[in-house]
Amino acid sequence: MAQAAPAAVIILAAGAGTRMVSRTPKVLHRIGGRSLLGHAIHAAQGLDPQRIAVVVRHERDAVAQHAIEINPDILIADQDNVPGTGRAVQCGLSTLDAAVKARAVALSGAPLDAEGIVSTTQVCGPVVVIAGDVPLLDAATLGELVAAHKADGNAVTILTTEVADPTGYGRIVRDPATGSVAAIVEEKDATDGQRLIREINSSVYVFDAELLRDALTLVTPHNAQGEFYLTDVVAIAHGRGLPVRAVQSDDPVIVEGVNDREQLAVLGAELNRRILADWMRRGVTVVDPATTWVDVDVELAQDVTLLPGVQLHGASTVGVGATIGPDTTLTDVEIGPDATVIRTHGSLAVIGAGATVGPFAYLRPGTELGERGKIGTFVEVKNGKIGEGTKVPHLSYVGDATIGKHTNIGAGTIFVNYDGVNKHHSTVGDGARTGANNIFIAPVSVGDGAYTAGGTVVRYPVPAGALAVSAGRQRNIDGWVERRRPGTEAADIARQARESEAPQESSTLGRQAREEQARAGSASHPVTPADGTPFGYRIPDAPPTPAFGTPQAQSPNHNSPNKESGDAQ
């Protein structure tokens, strides 16, 4: 490929693409993880040319910015109001010549208009011209075209192909005596006999720079569309007796362009089919290719399995033996060997070897899951680092947190990281066990081997090996439903249950006496605790609240809980 490197590549990206019916320029529409222009630039870069120029006009700033984001060294050539591909290439070549000239001046230190500098500093050698809307064209095909151009000493070399229906394409007219290309005739300018020709122009060329520069000055707009056709250069070269030859591709799809959204979808599907076929030949299992989409820059290792409904985008990488899917969409995610990711949406995340994710997990940017770790069902992680062997099994949010190794996070845990203005970070150490329905108010830390009880709100640091408990003892207010929700189904059922459980001897009492007895038995009495427990109300015979099998935590503070809102007690 390096031996066939051209002097320059000109990419035509100035068209409006009106048939796309879109606010987005045609060349910025995407398939396979790249814009159409991105595919063209990638193919051009594969030739290792000295310079690449992108010709722009419609939505000039957006297209130019996108091209420079892909490759900052790309030259932007502005096409003026003169229509046609010939004028577009002329603008591109002028920009390339100016860059060569500026480089020569910079190296020599001579002024821009110094004698000898202007006349001798222009692009020399092969110049490749491609369209910015042919996404399946690859560097290998272009390399073969450049190699043939150099080997045959051609003035012009054209990539052609044969199609069953050539409608809409320029036809390749060959010299019957030599078989060389005599002209390219556009559809609207073709005769009835020329329209029968099935060999078509792909709009991919290699020109000798000197010929191209000179011939473009001779092109006129005397045609059905009133444009300056680049294809007229072919006839000019042939008329001068210069060698003009074609390299015919046996794969028409690689030179097919995009003009509307239907063609965009068709070529997108074909590109994806080829990507999947290539990975399957290299040892990847794709269970259902019809529902599996993999971008061009994704990397898959041997024995990866992609289940139905998988979409892998961006620069995602999947390690040996990993299983992805079903129904998983990952963008720029790194997945380690033997990991499993099920029904998950993720981006800019790292999943360690042997780890499991999902189902129904959401991995936001900054997620890192260690080896053999677990992010389970309905778990969302953002900017969270979860250590080796650590599990966040279900129904939790881990935001701006670092969790150590071999820790277990209970169900329903929330790391509260946002105070309305700033984000704050929390830390949980190695070997910790947090209870269900915990809330960690950042910034806060939990030490190695610490426990937190179910329902705990952690606002302050928890030392290593400590148990954090913030909940008060449960208080039952008997008869509340009948008194505060009378007439409801629940009240009726509660009354029936109470009456069925009432002692038999109470049946001899009158109605008022029974009500007084029930009221007296259901009342909660405030007491002064003698054992230092932090609860202002004690329910007779109420069992202590367990926390991971340990006695109820004690506290020197004696704060009475508020009574039930609106309750008369």
Side-chain angles (χ1 to χ4, degrees):
M1 187 71 69
Q3 294 179 351
V9 178
I10 298 174
I11 301 174
L12 305 183
T18 55
R19 281 180 281 177
M20 296 295 289
V21 192
S22 175
R23 294 174 297 174
T24 301
K26 178 175 74 171
V27 296
L28 299 191
H29 283 264
R30 304 177 70 87
I31 62 172
R34 293 183 190 145
S35 66
L36 299 181
L37 179 56
H39 285 286
I41 291 174
H42 184 78
Q45 290 175 157
L47 294 176
D48 194 25
Q50 296 174 29
R51 290 173 178 83
I52 300 174
V54 175
V55 182
V56 298
R57 185 167 186 270
H58 177 70
E59 294 290 343
R60 183 260 183 215
D61 291 344
V63 176
Q65 179 181 349
H66 181 68
I68 291 172
E69 287 173 354
I70 296 172
N71 183 347
D73 294 328
I74 277 179
L75 300 172
I76 301 300
D78 288 287
Q79 183 175 358
D80 51 26
N81 293 331
V82 179
T85 53
R87 180 56 179 169
V89 171
Q90 193 172 41
C91 293
L93 187 59
S94 296
T95 298
L96 290 166
D97 285 342
V100 173
K101 190 178 302 180
R103 175 67 173 168
V105 170
L107 291 176
S108 68
L112 187 60
D113 57 354
E115 185 177 354
I117 294 296
V118 172
S119 61
T120 59
T121 52
Q122 294 177 316
V123 173
C124 298
V127 174
V128 177
V129 177
I130 63 176
D133 61 356
V134 185
L136 270 65
L137 182 64
D138 56 12
T141 301
L142 290 177
E144 292 173 4
L145 190 69
V146 175
H149 179 86
K150 287 189 172 184
D152 295 343
N154 295 338
V156 183
T157 308
I158 308 155
L159 182 64
T160 69
T161 192
E162 286 194 8
V163 294
D165 181 9
T167 302
Y169 291 97
R171 307 304 204 276
I172 300 297
V173 178
R174 291 184 177 268
D175 186 325
T178 64
S180 63
V181 178
I184 300 175
V185 181
E186 298 298 330
E187 169 88 12
K188 293 183 179 180
D189 301 300
T191 65
D192 290 342
Q194 289 171 336
R195 288 193 178 96
L196 297 176
I197 298 172
R198 294 174 52 201
E199 185 179 13
I200 63 167
N201 175 32
S202 69
S203 299
V204 178
Y205 316 87
V206 184
F207 295 98
D208 174 75
E210 185 176 356
L211 165 73
L212 180 63
R213 188 180 295 107
D214 179 58
L216 285 171
T217 64
L218 304 177
V219 173
T220 67
H222 303 318
N223 51 64
Q225 299 190 80
E227 296 183 355
F228 290 82
Y229 288 160
L230 176 62
T231 50
D232 287 352
V233 173
V234 172
I236 292 171
H238 180 72
R240 293 179 179 179
L242 298 174
V244 180
R245 297 186 175 90
V247 173
Q248 189 173 108
S249 171
D250 58 1
D251 186 0
V253 177
I254 68 167
V255 296
E256 188 172 341
V258 172
N259 291 306
D260 55 37
R261 296 190 192 241
E262 182 179 3
Q263 289 176 319
L264 183 74
V266 169
L267 288 180
E270 176 60 19
L271 175 61
N272 187 67
R273 185 195 68 78
R274 296 181 181 213
I275 291 170
L276 295 180
D278 179 60
W279 283 120
M280 286 188 279
R281 286 191 294 267
R282 294 160 66 178
V284 172
T285 295
V286 181
V287 174
D288 184 12
T291 63
T292 304
W293 293 81
V294 176
D295 283 353
V296 292
D297 291 322
V298 170
E299 291 292 332
L300 306 176
Q302 184 177 346
D303 290 324
V304 165
T305 298
L306 304 182
L307 298 177
V310 167
Q311 299 180 48
L312 298 178
H313 298 306
S316 294
T317 62
V318 184
V320 174
T323 299
I324 313 298
D327 306 325
T328 294
T329 301
L330 304 176
T331 303
D332 299 321
V333 174
E334 178 184 336
I335 303 161
D338 300 313
T340 301
V341 184
I342 306 169
R343 288 191 168 89
T344 292
H345 189 101
S347 60
L348 292 169
V350 177
I351 300 169
T356 61
V357 178
F360 309 114
Y362 182 21
L363 311 182
R364 293 169 60 188
T367 298
E368 295 183 17
L369 178 61
E371 293 185 8
R372 298 181 301 282
K374 178 176 182 177
I375 293 175
T377 308
F378 297 111
V379 174
E380 178 180 345
V381 182
K382 189 274 294 182
N383 195 28
K385 295 177 175 57
I386 299 171
E388 175 185 338
T390 288
K391 298 178 180 180
V392 187
H394 27 226
L395 300 166
S396 297
Y397 171 67
V398 180
D400 294 291
T402 298
I403 304 173
K405 300 177 181 179
H406 307 292
T407 287
N408 190 85
I409 303 298
T413 292
I414 299 174
F415 284 80
V416 181
N417 56 337
Y418 184 49
D419 63 8
V421 178
N422 299 308
K423 299 289 182 70
H424 301 278
H425 192 270
S426 293
T427 302
V428 178
D430 297 341
R433 299 290 184 269
T434 69
N437 290 325
N438 275 200
I439 298 177
F440 296 90
I441 309 295
V444 73
S445 63
V446 176
D448 293 344
Y451 275 55
T452 62
T456 294
V457 178
V458 180
R459 292 184 172 89
Y460 307 104
V462 180
L467 169 66
V469 181
S470 68
R473 181 175 293 178
Q474 177 176 316
R475 181 166 65 101
N476 296 333
I477 303 175
D478 291 337
W480 186 91
V481 174
E482 291 181 68
R483 295 195 305 276
R484 301 304 300 273
R485 298 292 184 269
T488 64
E489 181 181 17
D492 292 341
I493 293 173
R495 177 182 55 77
Q496 295 172 13
R498 177 178 54 78
E499 290 177 351
S500 66
E501 295 172 358
Q504 292 298 321
E505 58 271 16
S506 64
S507 61
T508 60
L509 299 177
R511 180 181 61 82
Q512 182 175 359
R514 291 198 303 273
E515 290 178 353
E516 290 295 334
Q517 183 184 60
R519 186 176 298 110
S522 65
S524 298
H525 304 287
V527 298
T528 301
D531 58 357
T533 57
F535 311 113
Y537 287 88
R538 176 166 298 170
I539 308 301
D541 301 323
T545 302
F548 298 100
T550 63
Q552 175 67 51
Q554 305 296 310
S555 170
N557 297 324
H558 182 80
N559 298 319
S560 298
N562 295 326
K563 290 184 179 180
E564 179 268 328
S565 177
D567 189 58
Q569 296 186 40

